[in-house]
Amino acid sequence: MAWEVVIGLEIHVQLATRSKIFSGASTRFGEAPNTQACAVDLALPGVLPVLNEQAISHALTFGLAIGAELGKRSSFDRKNYFYPDLPKGYQITQFAHPIVGRGAIELVLEDGEQLTVGITRAHLEEDAGKSLHENMHGLTGIDLNRAGTPLLEIVSEPDMRNAKQAVAYFQKIHALVKYLRICDGNLNEGSMRCDANVSIRKPGEKKLGVRTEIKNLNSFRFLEKAINFEIGRQTEVLENGGSLQQATLLYDADKNETRPMRSKETSEDYRYFPDPDLLPVLISQEIIDTLKSRLPELPEARRQRFEKMPGLSSYDAARLSEDPDIADYFEAVVEQSKLTKLSANWVMGELSALLNRLDLPIEKAPVSAQQLGQLVARISDNTISGNIAKQIFEDLANNPNVAVHIDDIIESQNLGQLNDKNALNDIVEQVIDDNPVQAQQYRDGKIKILAYLVGQVMKQSQGKANPKEVSALLLTKLGSL
Amino acid sequence: MIIELEELKNLGRLAKIELDSRAQNRAATDLNNIMQMIAQMQSVDTSNTNPMENPLDAIQRLRLDEVSESDHRDEFQALSEHTRDGLYTVPRVIE
Amino acid sequence: MDPFSSLETLRSGLDSGEFSSVELAKHYLARINKYNPQLNCFITIPEAEALQQATKADALIAKGNSGVLCGLPMALKDIFLTRGILTTCGSRMLENFIAPYNSTVAEKLAGSGMVCLGKTNMDEFAMGSSNENSHYGAVRNPWNTEYVPGGSSGGSAAAVSAALVPVAAGTDTGGSIRQPAAFCGISGIKPTYGRVSRYGMVAFASSLDQGGAFGRCVQDVALLLSGMGGHDPRDSTSADHDMQDIHALATGDDKGFTLGNKKITIGLPKEYLENLDGAQLQAVYETARNIFETQGVQFREVSLPHTSVAVPTYYVIAGAEASTNLSRYDGVRYGYRCKDPQNLEDLYVRSRTEGFGDEVKRRILTGTYTLSVGYYDAYYVKAQKVRRLIANDFSEVFKDVDLLMTPTTPSHAFKLGQLTKDPVEMYQQDIFTTPASLAGLPCLSVPCGTINGLPLGLQLIAPHFEEALLLKTGYLFQQHSDWHTQYPEPGAL
């Protein structure tokens, strides 16, 4: 029997702020445990929350980007439950009046199919700390550095019908929040985590099936695998005449399976109520207008603009616009080189391979966009050969020096192509003289030997000769003898 | 009885407070007396009234996004005998 | 030196060199050490720190750049965090809690050069009307040690009453400054909600808690309040309202306290008078009215129709907020932790069950109930709506009158143990104080007589931020009465 799959996602986005949502402690990742947990984050007696303005701006920016209704009056509630990584015994979140209301996201799937995913709401809340279980000798260790980091929880409608769509949606949100500069998008540091609500039902059925919630998925791949596993599990249960129970699950990547979370066994009564330590936030039209005027170009608009660039395929445009930092880099290369296709090839080819090899983000690229632009320009005007360009690029990658101009490297190392006809003429004649056997073979019709002779000339010229010119000259010389 | 014994146990579970059976009976009596007193409030007509969350009906002020706190871990952890390598420790939690 | 002196007298003694701040501190510390064993006003007496502060104050006074509060002794309710000093909030939960930071109030008062002689006893987490709910034992009323001093700021009130300190800071959620001030025969102000920062003041009920001041006379109360109050960016609910008028009162001469040509009208809420218990109390109340009337104050009967539901409304809101404010006491990062927990649940349940006293547990359970699914609208939301109606009652009458006058309590202090059996009867003690708390209004209690040798208090209630008017009116009353100059018979101590 065929089943219809229904998926909704709750994506938690850590907002890029310097300090926490309700305290002045730093949000920096990877510091020694509890060194960034201040009195407020530790919930010492007497401490009080004060709201970070940047968290509000970031949330509104997201709302504007998805065309959502924005709450004129937004407020914070307490969600009460006990857990060691939640120091106050409640999480400050937005239950009744979220800052971002209904909106939507448009997706273009791999097969070109379009899908609109409704956004139910997005609300601000504080992140919890971390529980550590390894090397704790039977205890659990609590690190509260992350406690109080601002989160935007983006809740989708159950509009996705398979794991691929869910992944495409997650990727789209990932690109969007990076574009908006409201999140660093660093999945392996937990900057974005996602809970997937999965249920299945008979096609045509209006009512949703019993759903399970898979918690804390932090990669596109795990999201896809976890959903597919869960669809399989639910299908099996129902087809064997069993019934499903609403549950909160964890995905175990090593075993590729989901299992119930022990800590969530009893259904909680969270006793939400307005936090009396915080007051309602009023969102003025003025703030909204200011943020609107500061909205950057969004990924879709950029992709369309790239697609119109000379020589760029839609594949090129899509890949180059995926990540705002790559897109910015690419545009800076083009600005320098004035060449779109060759710049695109270098960014997606050499540069991308280099960054992969060094495991670096593009912001830390050892070759600056200006340098790559200069390099591309010099290839294009035949100042240097492609091989020399690669050599310069590698040298710069190994010994980065963003201050140096490519022309200075070419000049100081004398890497310019040998465009002096007389000099080249001399080398070509010398090579023919030194290789009489091969020259004769060519004349006898063994045309392939030409490559060998070109290679010899290139070697003599230390790679600076233009191979096209070399072969043309060789042909003339060999023919004319 | 407004709050039955079973309900009281559930409240204890939510609030992480356990009452032994004697305390439970006393608490049940007290809580029911309190709830009876509270029930007087129900006679008031509030159909056209908005809830009041803050006596001044004030509006939230926002803080600039600046790091104003520094590391005081040692001082804070002096308040607990249960830390290890900078972490607070609790009995093992299985997720 | 007379320990019952006003701050003004002590100030001139310090300024004239009659005595130093260190001598003053030692003088009061000696009284504390003498009388505290009977009264149990203090949980902690940080003598060494106090003398250090006094020494610093003396240096400032010698340099001539000290403020009006510099070098004067005071006490803080043990709800205000004081860095490096034990802060228990009256609870076993915090019996070893050495505060790692200063409350705004402690910081401001220390900054003004005041010398903190001790942390005063209180009902656990400020929950109580008799001070019998302290883990550190009940406080006794200096007027008669068989009687309670009131609560929850009973230690502060009793300490001022017995002149163990000239002034003390307290907090008031539903009457916790006014009721003990009345029972101990001293003056006490609960300012407008938001006047005094709640930062570093252990939270009981966030939307009601407010710090305030005790003193024997209104001028002392004004002076201490001027040092405590003011906007604090660390408290989102702190009012962004300047303290100019209060500072002017506190630092000017007594003429600043006169109402001048201002004719004031005081409202007498009839719902409060209906609840007055006995002819003696009515007589006391009548006398107070006469004193004002001879000074040209007009009276008008007014109605606050929702008065009778204030106590239930208050207990729903305070209980709900408290139930979650106290969730942080989980035995993990600080505070009481049970021995050998078997697992996480055991750690939570036993730490909280062993660490909290009965009244705190009752309120946590009540609050948990009123916030839980299915009851939230019927209790919590309903209470917030009634709260607005109660607040509206006040706004209505303040269109016609400048202030309201009521008894502070329905009777004088009761005996220790008299009401401990029945929490509801204890809660009814708050009938005159909770309505103004719900509305966030400033209130002053001044002594207005005695019955059976036990003091009574008169409560004045003003519109938001009208503390100056409140204090001036209280001053007028004290200019023409002498109850505030009476103190417990030394023999009783």
Side-chain angles (χ1 to χ4, degrees):
Chain A
M1 195 197 309
W3 296 87
E4 184 183 41
V5 176
V6 178
I7 303 164
L9 297 189
E10 290 165 22
I11 300 177
H12 294 84
V13 175
Q14 277 187 348
L15 295 176
T17 56
R18 283 188 281 271
S19 64
K20 294 186 178 172
I21 183 165
F22 299 119
S23 83
S26 168
T27 54
R28 207 166 21 191
F29 179 82
E31 297 296 311
N34 290 311
T35 54
Q36 287 182 177
C38 70
V40 173
D41 306 326
L42 293 175
L44 291 183
V47 295
L48 295 168
V50 185
L51 183 56
N52 185 337
E53 149 191 87
Q54 191 71 68
I56 294 283
S57 315
H58 281 349
L60 291 172
T61 299
F62 176 79
L64 286 168
I66 62 161
E69 298 161 18
L70 300 179
K72 293 270 177 259
R73 191 184 170 95
S74 186
S75 56
F76 289 87
D77 301 282
R78 292 183 179 178
K79 177 182 183 181
N80 294 285
Y81 65 96
F82 284 87
Y83 206 68
D85 63 14
L86 187 73
K88 293 188 293 297
Y90 58 83
Q91 181 193 31
I92 305 178
T93 179
Q94 298 193 294
F95 181 65
H97 304 287
I99 186 156
V100 175
R102 206 161 269 283
I105 290 270
E106 302 289 335
L107 300 181
V108 182
L109 304 169
E110 253 173 55
D111 53 12
E113 186 201 342
Q114 298 221 348
L115 177 70
T116 303
V117 177
I119 307 271
T120 317
R121 56 186 277 160
H123 61 258
L124 284 166
E125 61 185 28
E126 54 181 347
D127 208 343
K130 282 182 187 164
S131 301
L132 301 149
H133 312 289
E134 273 162 42
N135 303 321
M136 291 302 299
H137 309 91
L139 299 170
T140 289
I142 310 296
D143 175 10
L144 297 169
N145 279 353
R146 196 180 67 180
T149 299
L151 291 179
L152 185 68
E153 179 174 336
I154 304 163
V155 182
S156 84
E157 292 287 304
D159 286 346
M160 289 151 278
R161 294 292 171 267
N162 57 52
K164 285 246 181 294
Q165 291 181 356
V167 170
Y169 166 74
F170 192 13
Q171 283 172 333
K172 184 82 182 191
I173 295 280
H174 180 254
L176 182 61
V177 297
K178 280 197 77 176
Y179 257 80
L180 298 170
R181 308 278 176 202
I182 62 173
C183 173
D184 65 19
N186 232 324
L187 294 173
N188 48 20
E189 290 179 1
S191 296
M192 280 180 79
R193 282 117 58 195
C194 153
D195 302 339
N197 287 296
V198 181
S199 65
I200 60 176
R201 65 182 170 191
K202 295 201 176 123
E205 186 85 47
K206 284 273 185 298
K207 230 179 97 213
L208 288 176
V210 174
R211 73 184 162 89
T212 52
E213 182 177 11
I214 316 165
K215 285 271 183 202
N216 257 328
L217 298 159
N218 65 354
S219 85
F220 303 130
R221 204 162 58 89
F222 290 167
L223 173 65
E224 181 167 359
K225 291 177 91 172
I227 290 175
N228 282 332
F229 174 84
E230 188 53 22
I231 294 170
R233 190 189 68 84
Q234 292 189 8
T235 307
E236 200 177 307
V237 170
L238 291 185
E239 290 189 348
N240 289 332
S243 64
L244 290 166
Q245 282 186 331
Q246 194 164 327
T248 307
L249 310 172
L250 275 182
Y251 174 67
D252 184 330
D254 296 332
K255 295 183 185 155
N256 185 31
E257 62 177 33
T258 58
R259 58 178 166 81
M261 271 177 94
R262 293 211 192 181
S263 53
K264 297 271 179 181
E265 265 168 19
T266 50
S267 77
E268 285 271 8
D269 177 349
Y270 291 123
R271 289 157 286 138
Y272 286 100
F273 81 111
D275 190 334
D277 287 332
L278 290 161
L279 304 167
V281 181
L282 288 193
I283 313 292
S284 67
Q285 192 57 45
E286 197 187 337
I287 294 174
I288 290 177
D289 291 343
T290 309
L291 290 171
K292 211 179 220 167
S293 71
R294 287 191 203 147
L295 268 188
E297 184 183 33
L298 298 182
E300 185 53 24
R302 205 164 203 186
R303 191 188 63 76
Q304 288 177 15
R305 193 159 55 77
F306 284 2
E307 217 170 34
K308 291 187 190 121
M309 285 182 172
L312 259 59
S313 66
S314 30
Y315 173 79
D316 295 339
R319 265 201 62 196
L320 288 166
S321 62
E322 235 164 48
D323 181 303
D325 295 323
I326 293 173
D328 285 352
Y329 187 98
F330 165 67
E331 292 207 67
V333 174
V334 172
E335 195 182 320
Q336 189 74 40
S337 69
K338 313 293 177 204
L339 296 160
T340 52
K341 179 63 180 171
L342 193 56
S343 296
N345 289 349
W346 270 83
V347 171
M348 292 189 294
E350 299 295 325
L351 180 76
S352 165
L354 174 71
L355 295 176
N356 273 339
R357 202 171 72 226
L358 301 178
D359 193 23
L360 283 177
I362 195 150
E363 310 92 88
K364 297 203 176 123
V367 181
S368 76
Q370 286 67 30
Q371 288 173 328
L372 186 54
Q374 291 154 9
L375 200 64
V376 167
R378 292 296 164 261
I379 300 167
S380 166
D381 67 11
N382 284 327
T383 307
I384 52 170
S385 65
N387 279 334
I388 291 287
K390 280 179 191 167
Q391 187 190 315
I392 295 173
F393 184 83
E394 282 302 318
D395 286 350
L396 263 181
N398 294 331
N399 299 296
N401 179 3
V402 291
V404 70
H405 197 285
I406 293 295
D407 286 350
D408 294 338
I409 299 177
I410 295 171
E411 200 179 332
S412 67
Q413 296 179 35
N414 193 24
L415 297 172
Q417 289 204 88
L418 206 55
N419 289 324
D420 178 341
K421 287 270 181 218
N422 292 334
L424 195 58
N425 215 34
D426 292 350
I427 296 172
V428 168
E429 282 176 1
Q430 187 63 47
V431 165
I432 291 171
D433 287 352
D434 291 351
N435 296 281
V437 178
Q438 286 81 356
Q440 192 51 49
Q441 283 176 340
Y442 177 82
R443 292 190 193 98
D444 292 347
K446 199 176 175 193
I447 295 163
K448 278 186 182 167
I449 204 75
L450 184 69
Y452 170 78
L453 294 169
V454 172
Q456 291 303 306
V457 176
M458 294 304 291
K459 202 171 159 187
Q460 294 279 320
S461 74
Q462 291 163 320
K464 290 184 286 181
N466 182 336
K468 268 187 198 157
E469 271 184 46
V470 170
S471 62
L473 204 56
L474 272 169
L475 283 177
T476 323
K477 296 276 175 198
L478 289 168
S480 70
L481 280 174
Chain B
M1 294 288 262
I2 299 171
I3 302 178
E4 300 289 340
L5 220 56
E6 206 38 53
E7 176 99 55
L8 185 65
K9 281 185 195 160
N10 184 46
L11 295 176
R13 270 192 291 274
L14 286 171
K16 307 292 182 207
I17 284 171
E18 198 168 63
L19 303 170
D20 61 36
S21 55
R22 223 187 76 230
Q24 223 167 58
N25 288 329
R26 164 87 205 264
T29 311
D30 287 345
L31 252 59
N32 278 296
N33 290 340
I34 294 168
M35 291 317 296
Q36 243 158 41
M37 181 270 286
I38 284 172
Q40 296 167 37
M41 189 183 73
Q42 303 300 342
S43 63
V44 181
D45 177 11
T46 52
S47 44
N48 294 313
T49 311
N50 288 325
M52 176 183 249
E53 283 155 22
N54 173 277
L56 301 175
D57 284 320
I59 293 304
Q60 181 66 34
R61 281 185 311 273
L62 302 177
R63 175 176 64 79
L64 287 179
D65 181 25
E66 281 163 0
V67 175
S68 56
E69 299 290 336
S70 51
D71 173 22
H72 290 285
R73 185 175 80 183
D74 292 347
E75 255 171 286
F76 293 147
Q77 296 202 338
L79 296 166
S80 170
E81 289 169 21
H82 303 273
T83 60
R84 183 196 295 256
D85 303 329
L87 298 163
Y88 291 99
T89 60
V90 296
R92 191 173 176 80
V93 181
I94 305 153
E95 280 187 338
Chain C
M1 87 193 62
D2 177 7
F4 289 89
S5 306
S6 69
L7 289 184
E8 194 188 357
T9 308
L10 297 177
R11 169 85 271 143
S12 45
L14 284 171
D15 289 345
S16 67
E18 190 187 325
F19 44 77
S20 68
S21 175
V22 170
E23 285 166 335
L24 195 57
K26 283 182 174 165
H27 175 72
Y28 280 104
L29 283 168
R31 283 184 67 80
I32 290 173
N33 288 327
K34 183 171 173 197
Y35 294 113
N36 195 52
Q38 287 162 266
L39 297 175
N40 199 25
C41 298
F42 289 90
I43 294 172
T44 305
I45 305 161
E47 289 204 33
E49 288 88 345
L51 293 175
Q52 255 175 23
Q53 285 177 315
T55 308
K56 267 199 230 164
D58 280 332
L60 285 172
I61 294 167
K63 276 194 219 155
N65 55 359
S66 58
V68 282
L69 293 171
C70 189
L72 295 170
M74 56 89 180
L76 291 170
K77 185 179 183 180
D78 208 20
I79 199 168
F80 293 103
L81 269 74
T82 41
R83 190 186 171 113
I85 294 170
L86 185 68
T87 302
T88 68
C89 214
S91 182
R92 182 186 194 191
M93 190 55 92
L94 295 175
E95 65 187 350
N96 294 317
F97 185 75
I98 308 291
Y101 76 98
N102 261 332
S103 54
T104 298
V105 164
E107 196 159 275
K108 281 190 156 218
L109 293 179
S112 71
M114 284 197 103
V115 178
C116 177
L117 300 186
K119 303 293 296 289
T120 59
N121 202 346
M122 57 182 284
D123 282 306
E124 183 179 8
F125 286 102
M127 298 174 189
S129 310
S130 69
N131 226 304
E132 292 166 291
N133 297 331
S134 169
H135 177 63
Y136 304 90
V139 177
R140 286 165 185 272
N141 192 319
W143 292 76
N144 185 332
T145 52
E146 302 281 293
Y147 287 77
V148 303
S152 66
S153 313
S156 284
V160 171
S161 171
L164 308 190
V165 279
V167 289
T171 62
D172 188 314
T173 304
S176 286
I177 288 176
R178 291 160 283 164
Q179 186 244 24
F183 281 8
C184 292
I186 59 170
S187 308
I189 191 167
K190 176 204 96 77
T192 309
Y193 178 82
R195 268 289 196 192
V196 173
S197 169
R198 294 190 297 115
Y199 187 79
M201 190 174 105
V202 179
F204 159 19
S206 308
S207 77
L208 293 154
D209 292 345
Q210 181 54 209
F214 291 102
R216 265 178 304 277
C217 62
V218 167
Q219 299 98 304
D220 286 3
V221 165
L223 206 53
L224 184 61
L225 177 62
S226 78
M228 294 169 69
H231 175 65
D232 183 2
R234 288 179 295 188
D235 173 2
S236 295
T237 61
S238 163
D240 202 355
H241 203 93
D242 79 57
M243 292 277 294
Q244 274 316 313
D245 47 355
I246 298 172
H247 289 318
L249 283 187
T251 56
D253 57 27
D254 279 1
K255 288 191 199 77
F257 276 95
T258 57
L259 285 158
N261 293 326
K262 188 174 164 63
K263 286 275 169 251
I264 61 166
T265 306
I266 293 181
L268 299 172
K270 64 175 190 216
E271 291 79 4
Y272 286 61
L273 304 180
E274 284 162 7
N275 281 301
L276 271 195
D277 185 18
Q280 278 180 303
L281 195 59
Q282 285 197 11
V284 166
Y285 196 60
E286 272 307 306
T287 310
R289 178 179 170 163
N290 288 337
I291 289 170
F292 275 123
E293 274 175 342
T294 55
Q295 297 308 311
V297 173
Q298 302 216 317
F299 282 87
R300 181 178 298 178
E301 189 183 87
V302 295
S303 173
L304 299 165
H306 296 96
T307 301
S308 68
V309 287
V311 168
T313 304
Y314 168 82
Y315 276 93
V316 170
I317 290 170
E321 292 181 2
S323 76
T324 100
N325 277 338
L326 269 60
S327 292
R328 66 191 58 201
Y329 305 103
D330 58 5
V332 176
R333 300 162 311 286
Y334 55 83
Y336 181 81
R337 180 167 177 141
C338 70
K339 293 269 168 298
D340 306 319
Q342 299 303 298
N343 50 45
L344 181 67
E345 183 70 9
D346 190 38
L347 167 67
Y348 283 153
V349 171
R350 277 204 292 127
S351 298
R352 289 168 62 78
T353 304
E354 294 164 18
F356 289 137
D358 288 345
E359 180 60 22
V360 171
K361 285 183 224 174
R362 257 195 295 277
R363 302 225 195 170
I364 290 176
L365 291 172
T366 316
T368 304
Y369 178 71
T370 56
L371 286 178
S372 58
V373 159
Y375 302 108
Y376 175 68
D377 286 324
Y379 291 109
Y380 189 71
V381 177
K382 179 80 183 180
Q384 283 192 318
K385 289 179 176 176
V386 178
R387 181 178 191 174
R388 185 169 298 282
L389 292 174
I390 290 169
N392 289 348
D393 283 355
F394 282 105
S395 333
E396 273 309 305
V397 301
F398 282 133
K399 288 176 184 167
D400 299 325
V401 299
D402 300 299
L403 295 166
L404 294 168
M405 184 177 106
T406 80
T408 308
T409 57
S411 67
H412 62 60
F414 44 89
K415 276 193 167 165
L416 283 149
Q418 192 182 326
L419 299 180
T420 45
K421 296 265 178 331
D422 183 358
V424 172
E425 205 186 335
M426 185 74 94
Y427 295 174
Q428 293 300 342
Q429 294 302 307
D430 304 333
I431 184 160
F432 297 148
T433 47
T434 49
S437 295
L438 289 164
L441 298 168
C443 310
L444 176 73
S445 178
V446 290
C448 67
T450 55
I451 295 178
N452 309 325
L454 288 163
L456 289 159
L458 188 70
Q459 177 177 235
L460 295 169
I461 306 170
H464 290 141
F465 303 109
E466 294 283 0
E467 284 85 355
L469 176 64
L470 205 54
L471 291 162
K472 286 176 187 176
T473 310
Y475 176 78
L476 177 70
F477 186 75
Q478 294 190 340
Q479 286 296 97
H480 302 277
S481 64
D482 65 355
W483 293 291
H484 64 290
T485 64
Q486 298 178 9
Y487 38 83
E489 290 291 320
L493 293 178

